[in-house]
Amino acid sequence: MTQETALDGELDEAQRSALDADVDALQQGSRTWAHLTVGQRATLLRALRTSVAAAADEWANTAADSKGLERRHPLRGEEWLSGPYSVLGALDAYIDTLAKLDHGRSPLDGVAVGRAPGGRTRVSAFPLTGLDRLLLSGFSGEVWLRPGITPHTARASAGLAQRSSNAPGGVGLVLGAGNVTSIPVLDVLYELLAHNRVVLLKVNPTQDALVPVYERALAPLIAPGFLRIVRGGPAVGAYLTAHRDLMHVHITGSAATFDAIVWGPSTGSAAQREATARRRRENRPLLKKPITAELGGVSPIIIVPGEWSAADIAFQAEHVVTMRLQNCGHNCIAGQVVIISSEWAQAEQFRAALRRAYAAAPERPIWYPGSASRMRQAAEDYPDALVLADRLLVEIDDGQDAAALQSTEYFAPVLGVVELPGAGQQFLDAAIAHANEELQGTLGANLIIDPATEKSLGNGFERAITELRYGSIAINSWTAFGFITPTLTWGAFPGSTLDDVGSGIGVVHNALLLDGVERSVVRGPFRPFPRSLPLLNGGGRLTILPKPPWFVSSRTGSAVSEGLTRFRAHGGIPGLIRTLLLALRA
């Protein structure tokens, strides 16, 4: 997520001419794209897959170096999973979708489609392959469509723009995120395939080092004029968002940047600020073209009280810490507010485990621009917070104001804990209402519950999940699993507007090209292997993973993440077996 907050400034004539030339080339590319059949597009994606696989090493290593992770750093594997692995998975899923459409089938052929609460349709979007069922056993994902959309309609409408592939969508602008290296590429793919728009991608300045890698990896899109990549800061962004030949804007960033694009700057001279305020009052956006956005928020982690073993408490504490500290907290989906029950008999035991896990996680640089200042702001807001080298743990006491914690996306290693009264269904309902009403944004929510407690709640649990107004919900998992799974969707809960954008407008990823999306729901195992075995698990999900490789506490996470990416890129059973053996030592 970019944290740029202004889009003003001037470009010289040579800079404007170069950008205009890129737009002109893309306009021709748009006409070429419209003449490609769906089958030809699938062939193009296969070529793209080959070039991305060839660039995977350089991609992951360049990204890790740019974030200050030295060659032996235990968290270096994050850049494999969140970079080339994510893009290769998306390409595989899109190729499958296009192949089905090319043969006159729905992308949902062979996919289970059923009913969800409240008149919704539920698409069982993960796992869809035997390999995913093996490697990610215990995890599943569903896409819930908006109320009133029937299973028949879902199947008939899946495919979006690829159902009328010869209708040109023009040229779109993607303002790429600066924190996670797959985001700009995934956004480009979605523009091409969901909307038939070729793309001008402006890379965030934090990822300038990746531009040569992107250019090599994405060469099959660049050569025929379907993609151009440009560098630049606010001035380039301002020029392009106003460009008359760009039909649409998509941004992954902050709400402040979105507002500056749509309404004008909120900083600068008094006259500029007043002009922006007047446009808002009169509902006259400065931006004259459609815009979609993913803008982050403050993500809850709801801990439903139950009877947990000491091993359960330790594992889930590490799980929560991963949600906050992966990528140093520079994630739009980083869990920020842990909600626990004040009446839970094990609350203090869990708090102690959380403190230990938070302190034990590997140190790393706070690298994202502006994050250090937000850390300082958090320390000023909560002077009694526990300071652990490069991170803060804020435990809200009785009478302490949690407003700053719940309304500020720190985009930094700041984790908070708040308590609510109640147990069972009463607590769950209160926690969901608190997340909906007190926390900023609607992008992602996490919920941890043991199998016995979930079973005891019965239908009340599913009803409660339905009330949780977030675009991605993870149960015994982290919403990042939804982000990295291409057949799930990623974006804010529907309902945001230009004037009140919240966590954004629209969705991305969505490799099944579903229409009318409301949310995605991920479900994972409460206990890892071997405690996930049926005789030990109390009715929970079986998984072969002793500790997922994305956990910041995984001893072999870096090597496993690299191995899984290499297998995704090139195949090879011997390499996969070595990777799985490393995973068992996590």
Side-chain angles (χ1 to χ4, degrees):
M1 174 187 311
T2 177
Q3 294 289 332
E4 295 172 358
T5 57
L7 290 174
D8 52 7
E10 295 294 334
L11 302 179
D12 61 35
E13 184 175 350
Q15 290 171 309
R16 292 194 298 271
S17 295
L19 293 172
D20 290 344
D22 284 328
V23 175
D24 289 343
L26 287 166
Q27 287 186 304
Q28 176 58 47
S30 175
R31 292 187 284 272
T32 304
W33 177 258
H35 282 91
L36 294 184
T37 66
V38 171
Q40 288 171 324
R41 292 175 185 184
T43 299
L44 176 66
L45 292 193
R46 293 185 186 99
L48 182 61
R49 191 193 191 285
T50 299
S51 61
V52 169
D57 280 60
E58 185 183 11
W59 184 329
N61 288 323
T62 301
D65 291 343
S66 72
K67 296 180 180 182
L69 300 176
E70 71 274 7
R71 291 288 163 152
R72 294 188 178 274
H73 198 285
L75 300 181
R76 198 173 171 92
E78 291 177 356
E79 299 309 315
W80 287 89
L81 287 184
S82 65
Y85 180 91
S86 295
V87 173
L88 289 166
L91 287 169
D92 288 340
Y94 280 126
I95 289 167
D96 184 68
T97 288
L98 293 181
K100 286 180 177 178
L101 289 168
D102 188 43
H103 288 88
R105 300 162 57 203
S106 167
L108 294 184
D109 279 6
V111 178
V113 180
R115 291 293 192 176
R120 294 170 172 85
T121 287
R122 181 198 322 252
V123 178
S124 297
F126 182 88
L128 296 178
T129 69
L131 189 62
D132 282 339
R133 291 185 185 94
L134 171 67
L135 297 181
L136 293 166
S137 57
F139 291 87
S140 63
E142 307 158 352
V143 179
W144 291 16
L145 305 183
R146 300 187 192 191
I149 297 176
T150 66
H152 174 77
T153 300
R155 292 186 183 278
S157 61
L160 297 179
Q162 298 311 300
R163 300 184 67 83
S164 53
S165 59
N166 61 350
V171 184
L173 171 65
V174 168
L175 299 175
N179 61 327
V180 174
T181 62
S182 64
I183 292 177
V185 181
L186 295 175
D187 291 348
V188 165
L189 293 175
Y190 198 64
E191 286 290 293
L192 280 168
L193 297 169
H195 304 294
N196 274 342
R197 281 192 289 266
V198 300
V199 180
L200 179 61
L201 168 63
K202 189 190 87 65
V203 174
N204 184 280
T206 60
Q207 292 193 6
D208 275 353
L210 269 296
V211 170
V213 181
Y214 287 153
E215 288 174 340
R216 285 188 285 277
L218 305 179
L221 296 180
I222 294 171
F226 304 148
L227 173 67
R228 287 291 183 272
I229 302 173
V230 299
R231 292 180 170 94
V236 173
Y239 182 74
L240 293 175
T241 55
H243 201 290
R244 67 181 183 181
D245 293 327
L246 295 177
M247 307 300 295
H248 180 272
V249 176
H250 177 78
I251 174 176
T252 300
S254 69
T257 304
F258 179 92
D259 287 343
I261 293 170
V262 173
W263 302 105
S266 59
T267 58
S269 68
Q272 287 177 312
R273 297 195 303 272
E274 173 54 30
T276 298
R278 186 184 310 114
R279 279 190 290 269
R280 276 188 175 274
R281 288 194 303 269
E282 298 172 358
N283 193 27
R284 293 186 297 103
L286 183 67
L287 186 70
K288 304 303 182 185
K289 60 194 64 154
I291 183 170
T292 51
E294 188 266 274
L295 306 175
V298 175
S299 293
I301 308 168
I302 299 171
I303 309 295
V304 182
E307 294 184 16
W308 296 9
S309 68
D312 292 336
I313 288 174
F315 178 79
Q316 294 301 346
E318 293 178 23
H319 196 179
V320 170
V321 167
T322 294
M323 296 180 197
R324 178 70 264 180
L325 294 183
Q326 200 270 353
N327 199 26
C328 201
H330 307 322
N331 286 333
C332 53
I333 46 163
Q336 182 165 304
V337 177
V338 181
I339 304 174
I340 65 174
S341 168
S342 59
E343 299 176 21
W344 185 24
Q346 296 176 294
E348 186 48 46
Q349 190 180 353
F350 181 78
R351 283 176 176 267
L354 187 62
R355 295 181 199 113
R356 288 193 297 270
Y358 204 58
E363 293 187 26
R364 60 183 298 163
I366 296 173
W367 62 270
Y368 202 88
S371 291
S373 65
R374 285 186 292 279
M375 282 279 289
R376 289 191 294 271
Q377 182 60 54
E380 292 177 11
D381 291 336
Y382 299 101
D384 294 328
L386 182 62
V387 180
L388 300 165
D390 62 342
R391 62 203 71 157
L392 291 180
L393 180 61
V394 180
E395 298 188 63
I396 300 295
D397 296 323
D398 287 342
Q400 194 173 14
D401 188 359
L405 177 69
Q406 295 179 151
S407 62
T408 306
E409 184 189 5
Y410 288 114
F411 214 69
V414 179
L415 180 66
V417 181
V418 301
E419 286 190 341
L420 297 176
Q425 191 73 52
Q426 179 191 17
F427 169 79
L428 178 57
D429 291 343
I432 285 175
H434 188 88
N436 286 340
E437 297 164 11
E438 302 297 333
L439 273 59
Q440 186 271 324
T442 63
L443 183 61
N446 312 278
L447 191 147
I448 297 174
I449 183 170
D450 66 271
T453 300
E454 182 177 347
K455 183 178 180 180
S456 72
L457 295 179
N459 292 334
F461 179 74
E462 195 82 351
R463 175 188 55 76
I465 295 302
T466 306
E467 294 299 319
L468 195 51
R469 296 194 299 272
Y470 285 81
S472 182
I473 298 170
I475 302 162
N476 292 331
S477 182
W478 177 28
T479 48
F481 189 94
F483 170 90
I484 207 172
T485 302
T487 48
L488 298 178
T489 59
W490 188 249
F493 194 79
S496 298
T497 64
L498 292 183
D499 193 47
D500 184 13
V501 71
S503 289
I505 298 170
V507 299
V508 289
H509 304 184
N510 189 22
L512 295 174
L513 299 178
L514 302 172
D515 197 14
V517 169
E518 182 183 68
R519 71 183 90 186
S520 285
V521 180
V522 174
R523 302 172 197 261
F526 178 74
R527 296 183 175 98
F529 184 84
R531 292 188 301 112
S532 66
L533 292 170
L535 293 178
L536 305 174
N537 199 11
R541 291 171 169 235
L542 171 67
T543 180
I544 66 169
L545 292 174
K547 185 178 289 186
W550 55 86
F551 269 42
V552 294
S553 54
S554 173
R555 291 179 297 179
T556 60
S558 183
V560 171
S561 299
E562 179 178 345
L564 288 175
T565 306
R566 292 188 186 282
F567 177 75
R568 172 70 78 174
H570 307 294
I573 296 301
L576 178 61
I577 292 173
R578 287 193 297 271
T579 298
L580 292 178
L581 291 174
L582 282 170
L584 293 175
R585 294 165 47 200

